[in-house]
Amino acid sequence: EVIEQVWREKKYAGGFGGGIANIPPQAELNLPNWPSSEFRLRRERNGPLYATALPSSREVGEFMRALNRAKQTNRELHSQRCDFAIKLQVAREMKNEERIYFPHNVDFRGRAYTMHAHLNHIGSDFCRGTLKFADAKPLGENGLDWLFIQCANLYGGGADKLPLHQRVEFSKLNLEKIKKSAEDPLGPEGSWWQDADDPWQCLATCMEIIKAINSKDPAKYMCNLPVHQDGSCNGLQHYAALGRDFAGGRAVNLVPADRGADVYTGIANVLRDIVQKDIENCDYKDEESVERMKLAKLLIDQVDRKLVKQTVMTSVYGVTFVGARMQISARLKERVGFESESVRYRVAAYAAKRTLDALNDMFQNAREVMGWLTHCASVVTKVNAPVQWTTPLGLPVLQPYRNQTQKSVRTLLQTFVLRSEDEKQKVNKSKQRSAFPPNYIHSIDSTHMMMTALECSRANITFAGVHDSFWTHAGDVPVMSRILREKFIELHETPLLDNLYEELKSTYPEVAGEFLPPPEYGDLDIETVRDSAYFFS
């Protein structure tokens, strides 16, 4: 009802509707006016003076750039409105159904995706905020606290990084704001939820909290709001577990701690130390060292969580130096002092190299695993074969990447190129190599989700999953938390890399002697995951 009100009522977004909590505004941006100019004398490009009332070439250039930006924004808004309208219409049609189902497909790695393309729990914050479980369950002894924790997680702004008991306190301290948000979400005093990282899910949680409190006996309140348990940079969790990487495992909460570790902040701290050493240890007789010191001084005050987050996230997918440089350059472009493209490029290149160094320092065993997987793919491609393996659940995986055939088609109006892939073409060696580490990790994380889902079914608790985010009823969170930890331990107690090594040698006997054995394990005890409160939280 709140979403419908925001979308339809003309008092929002300048009298057109929308524009609140990431709902696209129905109004388009006004296009800039052609620059007006008074009659004046002007000289351009060292030419003679002349009298004109026309705008200068600089003014015309600025106008054209502003016009193109406005048109591009309007095209993007139109696309967002179409997407939102489809999702909203599906919600309207489904809202009176007793229950709806989401059939799933799995991709070639075993990752599960809903077959319905629009309204689903893998979608945007708006989609997730509108969905509830069909069956309600009592909150039980700790269910209300898990709703409080969920509210803090969804609000963000640092609240999602607090220890669990402090997240509960955060929501209790803001209980009056939660109440006003639930009772009058579009009123002047009920806008607290609109500042959340995930506003619609936060609003749904606010409403559920107030209903539970107003029921007088929250433990018996029948709640059907999904509560999430999210992995802490899950790809790196699996890498650290595969390599038994203690330092890396501690950074991604495989090891018990009083407070959840934030890997992005951890990498930022390591990067800051590296940059500081480049400043302090400068050899002024060495031009390269001096240049590095100059770049380090420009970077040192910019190092923070946001600068490195995307690079750390994509490190799981084998991000290259060029990719990391582009990511960091995009962050620097948002900051004062980096307007010069040349300066930004040089600082971003330096920052990318040092960020990858920081990752290598923190995840030494995990990076060795990634390197070994890349090596295995390189050996396989020598025989023009795609990399294939079997997941712990028995799903055969085969990477489909082959060189494309292309054919030019000429018509009276245009010439276009048709590209296609088929099994007759040679494998794309570069893609096979770069894709194997992330695809292998995806096959492992999908196995973990499937194992958790199956055990939850046997335990008679509701389960929904979005890759590394597992959902259940608030009252069942402790049970699901125990299950997902047990299944992670069970999965990684299996010698996964040794099994893969033997499978590759058996599948590709002509190059079996070229496969190096897996890297040596670190000193992480995988059993510690059982007692790590922030592993999934």
Short mmCIF file of all heavy atoms in Angstrom, two decimals, residues 29 44 113 226 339 342 390 492 495:
data_model
loop_
_atom_site.label_atom_id
_atom_site.label_comp_id
_atom_site.label_asym_id
_atom_site.label_seq_id
_atom_site.Cartn_x
_atom_site.Cartn_y
_atom_site.Cartn_z
N LEU A 29 13.79 14.64 -16.31
CA LEU A 29 14.57 15.86 -16.11
C LEU A 29 14.26 16.87 -17.20
O LEU A 29 14.05 16.50 -18.37
CB LEU A 29 16.08 15.53 -16.15
CG LEU A 29 16.66 14.67 -15.03
CD1 LEU A 29 18.17 14.54 -15.23
CD2 LEU A 29 16.37 15.26 -13.67
N GLU A 44 37.84 34.67 -30.93
CA GLU A 44 38.03 33.24 -30.69
C GLU A 44 39.25 32.74 -31.46
O GLU A 44 39.45 33.11 -32.63
CB GLU A 44 36.79 32.45 -31.10
CG GLU A 44 35.59 32.68 -30.17
CD GLU A 44 34.48 31.69 -30.42
OE1 GLU A 44 34.69 30.75 -31.20
OE2 GLU A 44 33.40 31.86 -29.82
N TYR A 113 18.71 -20.02 -9.54
CA TYR A 113 18.06 -18.76 -9.90
C TYR A 113 16.58 -19.01 -10.12
O TYR A 113 16.20 -20.04 -10.69
CB TYR A 113 18.66 -18.17 -11.19
CG TYR A 113 20.11 -17.79 -11.08
CD1 TYR A 113 21.12 -18.71 -11.34
CD2 TYR A 113 20.49 -16.50 -10.70
CE1 TYR A 113 22.46 -18.36 -11.24
CE2 TYR A 113 21.82 -16.14 -10.59
CZ TYR A 113 22.81 -17.08 -10.87
OH TYR A 113 24.12 -16.74 -10.76
N PRO A 226 10.66 -12.97 6.32
CA PRO A 226 11.96 -13.66 6.22
C PRO A 226 13.06 -12.87 6.93
O PRO A 226 13.14 -11.65 6.81
CB PRO A 226 12.22 -13.70 4.70
CG PRO A 226 10.90 -13.45 4.05
CD PRO A 226 10.15 -12.57 4.99
N GLU A 339 40.65 15.68 -10.18
CA GLU A 339 39.96 16.06 -11.41
C GLU A 339 40.84 15.78 -12.63
O GLU A 339 40.32 15.48 -13.71
CB GLU A 339 39.60 17.56 -11.38
CG GLU A 339 38.53 17.91 -10.34
CD GLU A 339 39.10 18.02 -8.93
OE1 GLU A 339 40.35 18.00 -8.78
OE2 GLU A 339 38.30 18.14 -7.97
N SER A 342 45.19 12.55 -15.77
CA SER A 342 46.55 12.03 -15.72
C SER A 342 46.95 11.67 -14.29
O SER A 342 47.47 10.58 -14.03
CB SER A 342 47.53 13.07 -16.28
OG SER A 342 48.87 12.66 -16.09
N THR A 390 33.47 -32.18 -11.06
CA THR A 390 32.22 -32.62 -10.43
C THR A 390 32.13 -32.01 -9.04
O THR A 390 33.10 -32.04 -8.27
CB THR A 390 32.18 -34.16 -10.31
OG1 THR A 390 32.42 -34.73 -11.60
CG2 THR A 390 30.83 -34.62 -9.79
N HIS A 492 33.88 -28.63 3.82
CA HIS A 492 35.31 -28.36 3.72
C HIS A 492 36.18 -29.36 4.48
O HIS A 492 37.41 -29.33 4.33
CB HIS A 492 35.60 -26.93 4.19
CG HIS A 492 35.23 -25.90 3.16
ND1 HIS A 492 36.00 -25.66 2.04
CD2 HIS A 492 34.15 -25.08 3.06
CE1 HIS A 492 35.43 -24.72 1.29
NE2 HIS A 492 34.31 -24.35 1.89
N PRO A 495 38.43 -33.44 1.41
CA PRO A 495 39.64 -32.90 0.74
C PRO A 495 39.31 -32.44 -0.68
O PRO A 495 39.62 -33.10 -1.66
CB PRO A 495 40.60 -34.10 0.76
CG PRO A 495 39.72 -35.31 0.79
CD PRO A 495 38.51 -34.90 1.59
#
